[in-house]
Amino acid sequence: MSYLGEYIDKIKSGEIITSEKVKKLYFNIVEPILLDKDPVYYFNEKKGLKFIKFCENFCKQSKGEFSGKYLELTLFQKAKWEAVFGILRRDDNTRRFQEIFDVRGRKNGKTTEHAPLGLFLSILEPGAEVYSAATTAPQARRVWEESQSMIDQDSDLSDCFGYKVFPMPTIYTKSKVKSFYKVLSKNVRALDGLNASAAIIDEIHELPRQIYDILKQSMSSRKEPLLSMITTGGFVRGGLFDDEYEYSSQVLDGLIKDDTLFPLIYELDDEKEIDDEKYWIKANPGLDIIKNRKALRDNVKRSKTDLNFANTVKTKDFNLFGVDNLSWLSAEEINNGAYALYSKEEVDNPNFLDKFNGSYAIGGYDLSRTGDLTAWITLLFDTEKKIVIVKSMFWVTESFLDSDACKNSRVPFRAWIDRGLVKISGKNAIDYHDVAEWLQKEFNDCGYIFQKIMFDAWSARYLVNELASLGWSEGSNGVQEAVRQGFQTLSLPMQELNTRLKDKTICYLNNPVFKWMLANVELVQDRNGNMMAKKVGDRAVNKIDGVASTLNALVEFCRNKDFYLN
C-alpha cells in the first residue's frame, strides 16, 4: 500500500487524529484519485516516491540529536509528498498540484523538510530557477543553509551541486545546463524578470504580499511550477496568510475550484481542544517524533497563568488565529463580522448591496493625519435580519506608499489598491476633493439617503464645506455633525460594535482592510469604565481609521437605533 493510502486509512480508523480541513483534503480531493475514480487525474506511486527516496538516501540533517543522520520523513510528510508529486493529469502526465499551502504548528519539521526540496527541485528540470523566500532574509537563508549543509555531508550531492555564499547565497548544479537555487533578495523592485520554476516560502504570515505575487507571476511560463509555503499561524490579520487561509478553506469546502492548490491545514478545530492532549496532534502532526510533547505541555501549562504567552501558544502551536496580545477583539470576534448571519455566497455576490440602493444610511469619516489613511464608512441596515452593514473606502497619499514605513510594512497596501479597496489621493496630503467626488458618485449610483454624516472635526473644515456645497448641510439640524472624540461619547458605540461582532449582527463585507484595522484596536478605559479605541501599542503602523469612522457613525445609530432597524 502507498504511504498516501496508509495515511488515509489510519485517519479513517481513528488511529491518527487530525483536523477537519485535513480530512476534507484527503477524503474529498485525494482519495477519489487514489481509487482511480477521477476522470482527469491519476496516481503514479513511482513518481510520488522520488522525492521521499531523495530525502532519505541523500539528505543528512545538521541539528541536535539528528545531526549527521539521513532524513527520515514521517507518515504525514510522506503522504503529502506522494500526493504532490504522484498525482498527475491523464492527458499529459503533468503534476496536478502547483501550489502548496501547508499550515502546521511550530517545531514540526518545516525548515528541515524544505531544505531537501530546494535541492530536489533544482534537478527536477534543466534550467531550473528555485528561490527561497521568507519574512526576513535570515529566515530565508536558514532554509538555504540547511540545504548547503546537506551538500557538504553527502558525496553524491557534492558531485551534483556546488555553491557560493557571495554576493548572493546560490546553489547551482554542475551539469551542462545550469540550474540554481538562490536566497531571494529583499529588494522587491529588483525581482522583476524572474523566470522561477519553483519557490519555497517559510512563514508567510508576515510576508509582504507583493513578494508572493511576483513569485507566482514569474512561474507563468513554466510547465510544472511549484510554489511551496509552510507556515504557522500569525498575528497579522487581513494580510497574505488570511488571504491564503480563506482561499484554501473555500477550495476545501468546494466553493472554489482550483485543482492546482494543495491546501494542507493542521489546526485545532476548537479552542477547547487545547485542554486535551489527545487533540494536540491535530495542529502538530509531528508530535512525539519531531516535536517534543513535554515542551509543548510546559508551554500550555504556562499559558494558563501568563495571558500574553497564551496568545502565542494558541497561534504558533495550535494555529488558532491570533491577534496582537493587546488587541481589543479576539480573532474569532473579528471574523464573525466578515459575513455575519449571511452566507459567503450572498456577500460575495457583486449584486448583494443593490437591494439597499435608495435606503437610509449613516456616513462616517476620519480624515488622515500624517501617515494615516483617510476612511469613509457607510452604515446600511437590513431591517429583516437586524444587521448593520459596514461599507468602506480608504485613501492614501503617494508619499505614504513611497515611505520606508510602508515599504517595510507587512501590510499589502499595493494589493489592496489593485483590488480597488484603497485609492491613491494627493502627493503629500489627501486631496479632499477626491473624497467628495467619490461620495457624490456613490450617491448618484446608489441613492443612499444619508440621515447623518458623522465626523471627527480635526482638520475636517475643507471637506465639511465642500460636502455642504453638495447638499449635505452642517449644524444641529443639518446632515453633517462633528463627534466629540472622548470616552463619554465613544464608549457606547464601542460596546455596540463589540456586542454586534459577538452576535454576528454587523457585517463588514469581509473587507480585508477593515478586518486588519479591527485587529489593530487596543481598548483603553477611564476611571469610570468608559472605553475608547487606540492603536495597539501606539505603533504608527497599526492603522485604525476605518474603525474610528465606524464609531463616529455608530454615535448616531445608537441614538436612533429603532428608526434605522425598523
Side-chain angles (χ1 to χ4, degrees), residues 353 355-364 376-383 387-391 438-439 442-443 446-454 472 478-480 549-550 552-554 556-557 559-560 563-565:
L353 292 179
K355 61 186 176 183
F356 299 101
N357 288 351
S359 67
Y360 291 121
I362 303 173
W376 178 281
I377 296 295
T378 299
L379 297 187
L380 301 169
F381 309 100
D382 187 331
T383 56
I387 293 176
V388 178
I389 295 170
V390 181
K391 184 180 181 183
W438 176 87
L439 179 58
E442 185 84 344
F443 174 75
C446 304
Y448 300 139
I449 305 170
F450 287 104
Q451 298 299 289
K452 284 290 183 179
I453 295 175
M454 313 294 284
W472 292 292
V479 177
Q480 294 190 79
S549 299
T550 302
N552 288 339
L554 285 173
E556 162 62 13
F557 173 75
R559 292 188 307 213
N560 297 289
F563 169 77
Y564 289 109
L565 291 184

Side-chain angles (χ1 to χ4, degrees), residues 239-458:
L240 177 59
F241 178 90
D242 278 6
D243 286 349
E244 287 295 310
Y245 182 93
E246 181 178 336
Y247 185 77
S248 295
S249 299
Q250 292 167 356
V251 171
L252 291 170
D253 289 338
L255 301 175
I256 293 177
K257 184 174 176 58
D258 184 347
D259 286 356
T260 66
L261 179 67
F262 190 79
L264 184 61
I265 301 175
Y266 290 99
E267 63 182 4
L268 295 191
D269 295 309
D270 190 310
E271 187 172 328
K272 295 177 182 177
E273 292 175 340
I274 292 178
D275 297 324
D276 192 335
E277 283 194 26
K278 76 177 182 182
Y279 294 118
W280 291 356
I281 195 172
K282 284 187 174 185
N284 299 277
L287 192 63
D288 296 323
I289 303 173
I290 303 171
K291 183 165 182 170
N292 186 290
R293 181 181 291 270
K294 182 181 181 302
L296 180 56
R297 187 182 294 129
D298 291 342
N299 285 344
V300 171
K301 183 178 180 180
R302 177 184 164 188
S303 73
K304 300 299 182 183
T305 55
D306 185 340
L307 296 182
N308 286 335
F309 188 61
N311 202 33
T312 300
V313 172
K314 290 177 184 178
T315 304
K316 294 298 182 181
D317 286 304
F318 296 111
N319 291 323
L320 294 165
F321 272 19
V323 295
D324 194 288
N325 289 326
L326 299 174
S327 293
W328 164 40
L329 298 164
S330 70
E332 180 182 2
E333 290 166 341
I334 292 171
N335 287 324
N336 281 345
Y339 301 106
L341 297 175
Y342 303 110
S343 69
K344 181 183 183 305
E345 291 80 4
E346 285 180 283
V347 174
D348 287 348
N349 187 321
N351 300 318
F352 172 66
L353 292 179
D354 289 354
K355 61 186 176 183
F356 299 101
N357 288 351
S359 67
Y360 291 121
I362 303 173
Y365 63 86
D366 186 65
L367 303 184
S368 60
R369 295 158 172 80
T370 303
D372 284 336
L373 284 72
T374 284
W376 178 281
I377 296 295
T378 299
L379 297 187
L380 301 169
F381 309 100
D382 187 331
T383 56
E384 293 182 5
K385 294 188 175 184
K386 309 302 181 188
I387 293 176
V388 178
I389 295 170
V390 181
K391 184 180 181 183
S392 52
M393 181 52 68
F394 305 91
W395 291 262
V396 294
T397 63
E398 293 179 16
S399 60
F400 170 75
L401 292 174
D402 291 334
S403 68
D404 289 339
C406 181
K407 291 176 183 176
N408 297 330
S409 172
R410 302 168 295 190
V411 182
F413 287 107
R414 291 286 182 183
W416 288 341
I417 290 169
D418 292 342
R419 292 173 60 182
L421 303 173
V422 178
K423 295 181 179 294
I424 302 174
S425 174
K427 177 64 177 175
N428 297 309
I430 297 292
D431 184 343
Y432 297 135
H433 294 295
D434 292 342
V435 181
E437 289 177 1
W438 176 87
L439 179 58
Q440 184 66 56
K441 185 177 185 304
E442 185 84 344
F443 174 75
N444 292 338
D445 292 345
C446 304
Y448 300 139
I449 305 170
F450 287 104
Q451 298 299 289
K452 284 290 183 179
I453 295 175
M454 313 294 284
F455 63 93
D456 177 355
W458 186 92

Side-chain angles (χ1 to χ4, degrees), residues 44 77 173 223 227 232 242 353 386-387 408 463 469 537:
N44 185 317
Q77 293 171 311
T173 59
K223 189 176 181 180
L227 176 59
T232 59
D242 278 6
L353 292 179
K386 309 302 181 188
I387 293 176
N408 297 330
L463 183 55
S469 72

Side-chain angles (χ1 to χ4, degrees), residues 114-325:
H114 260 164
L117 181 64
L119 299 174
F120 182 74
L121 294 172
S122 300
I123 57 175
L124 201 56
E125 66 174 287
E129 292 186 19
V130 181
Y131 296 93
S132 174
T135 305
T136 63
Q139 177 71 18
R141 184 162 176 155
R142 186 154 60 245
V143 176
W144 184 90
E145 287 175 344
E146 186 67 14
S147 304
Q148 176 192 24
S149 174
M150 289 175 176
I151 293 173
D152 289 338
Q153 292 187 78
D154 186 87
S155 59
D156 290 318
L157 292 183
S158 297
D159 290 340
C160 182
F161 296 101
Y163 61 81
K164 59 180 181 180
V165 177
F166 299 104
M168 180 182 293
T170 303
I171 291 171
Y172 54 86
T173 59
K174 296 180 179 179
S175 57
K176 291 182 180 180
V177 180
K178 291 287 189 292
S179 297
F180 62 79
Y181 163 30
K182 291 183 177 181
V183 175
L184 196 64
S185 167
K186 290 190 295 183
N187 185 355
V188 175
R189 292 182 178 179
L191 301 182
D192 292 336
L194 298 182
N195 182 25
S197 58
I200 293 169
I201 304 179
D202 200 5
E203 300 292 9
I204 73 162
H205 52 85
E206 295 181 357
L207 188 80
R209 174 85 200 197
Q210 57 265 44
I211 292 181
Y212 167 86
D213 291 338
I214 289 172
L215 284 170
K216 186 73 174 175
Q217 293 163 7
S218 73
M219 297 178 179
S220 58
S221 64
R222 298 285 186 165
K223 189 176 181 180
E224 291 187 277
L226 185 64
L227 176 59
S228 178
M229 298 175 283
I230 305 185
T231 185
T232 59
F235 299 109
V236 178
R237 300 274 67 85
L240 177 59
F241 178 90
D242 278 6
D243 286 349
E244 287 295 310
Y245 182 93
E246 181 178 336
Y247 185 77
S248 295
S249 299
Q250 292 167 356
V251 171
L252 291 170
D253 289 338
L255 301 175
I256 293 177
K257 184 174 176 58
D258 184 347
D259 286 356
T260 66
L261 179 67
F262 190 79
L264 184 61
I265 301 175
Y266 290 99
E267 63 182 4
L268 295 191
D269 295 309
D270 190 310
E271 187 172 328
K272 295 177 182 177
E273 292 175 340
I274 292 178
D275 297 324
D276 192 335
E277 283 194 26
K278 76 177 182 182
Y279 294 118
W280 291 356
I281 195 172
K282 284 187 174 185
N284 299 277
L287 192 63
D288 296 323
I289 303 173
I290 303 171
K291 183 165 182 170
N292 186 290
R293 181 181 291 270
K294 182 181 181 302
L296 180 56
R297 187 182 294 129
D298 291 342
N299 285 344
V300 171
K301 183 178 180 180
R302 177 184 164 188
S303 73
K304 300 299 182 183
T305 55
D306 185 340
L307 296 182
N308 286 335
F309 188 61
N311 202 33
T312 300
V313 172
K314 290 177 184 178
T315 304
K316 294 298 182 181
D317 286 304
F318 296 111
N319 291 323
L320 294 165
F321 272 19
V323 295
D324 194 288
N325 289 326

